[in-house]
Amino acid sequence: MTLDLMNDKRIRVIIGHYGSGKTEFAVNYALALKKQYDQVALCDLDIVNPYFRSREKADMLESSGIHVISGALGHSANLDLPMVSADILGPLQNEKTQVILDVGGDAVGARVLARFRAYFKPGDYDMFCVVNANREQTQTVEGVLRHIEQIEATAGVPVTGLINNTHLLKDTTAETVLEGQKLVVEVSRASGLPIKYISALETVIPQLPENIEGIPFPIRMIMREDWM
Amino acid sequence: MAKILMKGNEAIGAAAIKAGCKYFFGYPITPQNELPEYMSRELPKAGGVFLQAESEVAAINMVYGASGAGARVMTSSSSPGIALKQEGITYIAGAELPCVIVNIVRGGPGLGGIQPAQSDYNQVTRGGGNGDYKLLVYAPANLQEMVDLMQEAFDAADYYRTPVMMVGDGMIGQIMEPVEFKESVSRFELPEKDWATVGTGNKRKPNIANSLFLDPAELEKHNVKLQEKYATIKANEARYETYNLENAQLVAVAYGTTSRILRNAINELKEKGIEVGMIRPITLWPFPEEAFDQIPASCKGLLSVEMSMGQMVDDLKIVSNGRWPVYFYGRSGGMIPTPAGIIGKIEELIGGAK
């Protein structure tokens, strides 16, 4: 079964709490999207983290045909500066390109989005909030809603969907995901935002119940080396 | 308490607060910024004080002052920032005051880079500051171990009245892992801090925090006392883990993140029928000399595996004392060793030994 991503809008903005798993989702999403579209661009807008950014996997992504855009001085420049390549305007303006914006964590990371607000027209973009119920500040409905509110205020545009990405890395079980699902369902009820995907390790996905709200999205741990 | 997912720098902060840390003085530097950020947010909630100093030098001297007043206090930085703190660290060691210093190591020398490294081995085990002093240095390999060691770090600092350093390569600061905060009982019986400068109440002579001894005989006496303390720490506080020592043809030594990569390499080699053991120092000082007495007769050599250019080799030669030849494999500058790279080196060594 291939995952149908055609219902998502052309520009997908991936936001959420620091360490919720945005990058792992974004990279997996980009690879899945490439199976359905010819032109896919992944823009690493993380101006917060020095490590574990999607640009670290640029070689692999580009060999899969995905255009990767990151810092103004290239993917490997480990400068501790909040700079974004001007090339990002290309895919945002080219309506033939499917775009994923992998944004840094929290409202601090989302600040970079405000500069591109003009491209986020209602109906033309999706902004997915990645939620991991095992992260310190997003263990409660209030915590998640506060993050959504702060990120929306900073980015200047509303979130359009939720992604349950509740995990404990290699310790993740179906129960881990379902515990998170309870929280995400409550957030969905309180905010009116739909649950778009439930992302979990490909080994865990088959153990999830069938009637679960949201589309199961199997992922691999691409950002972490085997020894981690 | 259930496991939650934390970034290393956050987990260090949470563990420190749980261990009773009440004051944090720091200055930003990558890759440890999430730690002061966490402390700025969480320490006031725990009734403590966070203060961003105007420099690393100011921060460590604030630590000196707070520690002199008997407070549980911490600072953190990364390699070049730790270099700046050395003056304060030797003063604190000289004045026999407790504190915890976190060093999330990045590539050097100089400003180096912001990617992970272990090239502060000499800086943390050989002083860095002036004088005959030592730091008790912990080097956890994962976040759970780091969280578990934090209480001990504060307790040992108080017990021995000495600065303790918690070392993590940049990866330990930045990696996200599940951690559990367990209830722990202190190993130490901690006496009252009757030396703290908290006011005399007109009942006793003032306590003085000081590292200046102008009388050479007094200073020598002070140094002899310090050495006795370091001998006690050396006897009691060395920590290590051994892995797969039985029938090992070679014993590789690595700490922190590098030991995790080495462990993977050892497991892969085992499948090929090559037995390699590991000694993982959990304390860098005292260096776990005792572990090396457990090495079996099958061992033909020691291999230091590092994210630095051979800084631990000297300690392996000292502890080997001629028993084994000492080899080295390392990457530097923020490059992380791969299991394949380590395996290549080991196969080359073992092939050559045949």
Side-chain angles (χ1 to χ4, degrees), chain B residues 62-82:
Chain B
M62 291 174 184
V63 169
Y64 186 8
S67 177
R72 278 218 156 169
V73 55
M74 183 166 102
T75 185
S76 68
S77 192
S78 176
S79 311
I82 294 291

Side-chain angles (χ1 to χ4, degrees), chain B residues 290-317:
Chain B
E290 174 196 301
F292 294 78
D293 295 334
Q294 299 170 26
I295 293 176
S298 54
C299 175
K300 300 287 183 289
L302 301 181
L303 174 67
S304 183
V305 185
E306 310 172 16
M307 273 194 270
S308 49
M309 298 305 275
Q311 293 192 25
M312 195 167 56
V313 168
D314 283 351
D315 275 338
L316 292 197
K317 285 184 178 169

Side-chain angles (χ1 to χ4, degrees), chain A residues 10-16 22-23 25-27 29-30 33 40-46 54 69 84 87-89 91-92 98-104 112-117 119-120 125-128 130 157:
Chain A
R10 185 179 74 86
I11 297 171
R12 292 96 167 157
V13 188
I14 315 294
I15 54 101
K22 295 176 295 299
T23 292
F25 178 79
V27 169
Y29 187 97
L33 197 59
V40 173
L42 174 66
C43 307
D44 174 354
L45 298 187
D46 194 336
S54 46
I69 298 168
V84 170
D87 291 354
I88 185 184
L89 293 173
L92 285 177
Q98 302 295 314
V99 190
I100 302 153
L101 305 185
D102 177 16
V103 183
V112 68
L113 288 177
R115 186 251 173 275
F116 304 107
R117 189 183 302 165
Y119 297 97
F120 308 142
Y125 80 97
D126 268 313
M127 187 149 90
F128 296 141
V130 177
V157 286

Side-chain angles (χ1 to χ4, degrees), chain A residues 5 9 37 51 54 56-57 64 74 76 86 89-90 102 105 115 124 136 140 181-182 185-186 196 198 200 207 219:
Chain A
L5 305 176
K9 302 294 184 287
Y37 290 97
Y51 300 5
S54 46
E56 287 177 16
K57 299 294 168 192
S64 304
S76 60
L89 293 173
D102 177 16
R115 186 251 173 275
D124 278 354
E136 213 198 356
T140 62
Q181 183 73 3
K182 282 186 206 160
V185 166
E186 280 186 61
K196 292 293 298 202
I198 302 145
Q207 302 166 37
I219 61 167

Side-chain angles (χ1 to χ4, degrees), chain B:
Chain B
M1 202 182 138
K3 282 185 178 178
I4 58 166
L5 205 57
M6 290 188 94
K7 192 172 202 176
N9 286 325
E10 301 170 340
I12 295 170
I17 292 173
K18 193 167 176 299
C21 176
K22 281 281 185 282
Y23 297 87
F24 182 97
F25 307 107
Y27 189 80
I29 181 170
T30 306
Q32 61 85 57
N33 284 327
E34 298 83 359
L35 172 51
E37 185 185 7
Y38 183 91
M39 291 307 240
S40 70
R41 193 180 69 228
E42 299 298 329
L43 197 49
K45 293 182 197 166
V49 172
F50 166 88
L51 202 127
Q52 181 173 319
E54 69 268 36
S55 70
E56 285 86 349
V57 179
I60 192 69
N61 281 291
M62 291 174 184
V63 169
Y64 186 8
S67 177
R72 278 218 156 169
V73 55
M74 183 166 102
T75 185
S76 68
S77 192
S78 176
S79 311
I82 294 291
L84 280 166
K85 288 183 195 288
Q86 293 301 337
E87 179 192 66
I89 294 172
T90 176
Y91 280 33
I92 294 168
E96 293 194 86
L97 293 174
C99 68
V100 173
I101 302 148
V102 177
N103 182 5
I104 300 299
V105 182
R106 60 188 252 179
L111 281 174
I114 61 170
Q115 294 296 317
Q118 296 182 313
S119 43
D120 286 4
Y121 186 86
N122 284 340
Q123 180 171 239
V124 302
T125 62
R126 264 68 177 164
N130 61 301
D132 287 300
Y133 77 96
K134 285 286 182 188
L135 301 176
L136 172 53
V137 183
Y138 293 100
N142 58 57
L143 300 194
Q144 187 62 56
E145 185 174 53
M146 194 274 305
V147 161
D148 294 344
L149 282 171
M150 192 55 94
Q151 177 80 41
E152 178 145 338
F154 276 100
D155 289 349
D158 276 350
Y159 184 78
Y160 294 107
R161 290 180 58 187
T162 197
V164 171
M165 190 169 284
M166 184 69 75
V167 171
D169 53 81
M171 198 54 84
I172 294 287
Q174 293 295 325
I175 203 168
M176 193 79 69
E177 280 176 357
V179 290
E180 188 181 0
F181 292 88
K182 303 165 195 160
E183 289 308 319
S184 61
V185 183
S186 180
R187 222 162 36 79
F188 300 94
E189 276 203 33
L190 299 177
E192 284 294 307
K193 293 182 173 180
D194 57 6
W195 44 263
T197 55
V198 288
T200 63
N202 291 323
K203 285 175 188 144
R204 57 165 171 80
K205 284 187 177 175
N207 288 332
I208 297 169
N210 176 44
S211 70
L212 181 68
F213 294 78
L214 289 175
D215 176 348
E218 279 297 307
L219 182 52
E220 186 179 53
K221 210 171 104 188
H222 179 56
N223 268 311
V224 169
K225 184 182 157 212
L226 286 179
Q227 289 304 312
E228 284 166 2
K229 171 160 79 181
Y230 299 139
T232 310
I233 296 175
K234 198 172 170 183
N236 296 336
E237 303 304 330
R239 298 284 203 92
Y240 60 92
E241 181 203 353
T242 59
Y243 182 67
N244 202 47
L245 282 189
E246 204 180 335
N247 299 323
Q249 296 162 261
L250 182 88
V251 171
V253 184
Y255 65 94
T257 296
T258 310
S259 70
R260 296 164 65 164
I261 307 165
L262 174 62
R263 194 183 302 263
N264 266 39
I266 288 173
N267 292 343
E268 279 186 47
L269 284 163
K270 202 177 180 71
E271 282 171 23
K272 294 184 186 182
I274 300 171
E275 294 295 343
V276 175
M278 171 165 74
I279 291 175
R280 174 171 78 87
I282 298 171
T283 53
L284 302 185
W285 195 88
F287 194 71
E289 295 175 3
E290 174 196 301
F292 294 78
D293 295 334
Q294 299 170 26
I295 293 176
S298 54
C299 175
K300 300 287 183 289
L302 301 181
L303 174 67
S304 183
V305 185
E306 310 172 16
M307 273 194 270
S308 49
M309 298 305 275
Q311 293 192 25
M312 195 167 56
V313 168
D314 283 351
D315 275 338
L316 292 197
K317 285 184 178 169
I318 291 167
V319 74
S320 166
N321 200 13
R323 287 182 283 179
W324 306 279
V326 177
Y327 305 101
F328 164 70
Y329 178 78
R331 301 292 303 272
S332 85
M335 299 302 289
I336 299 171
T338 58
I342 297 171
I343 288 169
K345 178 68 184 182
I346 291 174
E347 284 181 333
E348 176 197 314
L349 287 172
I350 285 181
K354 271 177 190 168

Side-chain angles (χ1 to χ4, degrees), chain A residues 71-188:
Chain A
L73 294 177
H75 304 315
S76 60
N78 278 304
L79 285 172
D80 209 359
L81 298 172
M83 53 175 192
V84 170
S85 171
D87 291 354
I88 185 184
L89 293 173
L92 285 177
Q93 290 169 0
N94 181 351
E95 296 194 351
K96 289 187 180 129
T97 306
Q98 302 295 314
V99 190
I100 302 153
L101 305 185
D102 177 16
V103 183
D106 291 2
V108 177
R111 190 168 297 172
V112 68
L113 288 177
R115 186 251 173 275
F116 304 107
R117 189 183 302 165
Y119 297 97
F120 308 142
K121 297 188 191 93
D124 278 354
Y125 80 97
D126 268 313
M127 187 149 90
F128 296 141
C129 179
V130 177
V131 178
N132 181 352
N134 288 320
R135 280 290 287 153
E136 213 198 356
Q137 290 181 30
T138 52
Q139 293 177 302
T140 62
V141 176
E142 298 71 40
V144 180
L145 291 177
R146 190 168 58 243
H147 273 271
I148 290 174
E149 197 180 301
Q150 288 170 350
I151 290 169
E152 285 180 336
T154 308
V157 286
V159 168
T160 63
L162 301 169
I163 292 164
N164 174 15
N165 187 47
T166 302
H167 69 89
L168 281 170
L169 295 159
K170 288 172 189 165
D171 299 346
T172 310
T173 62
E175 286 70 41
T176 316
V177 179
L178 294 174
E179 274 301 310
Q181 183 73 3
K182 282 186 206 160
L183 175 77
V184 177
V185 166
E186 280 186 61
V187 171
S188 174

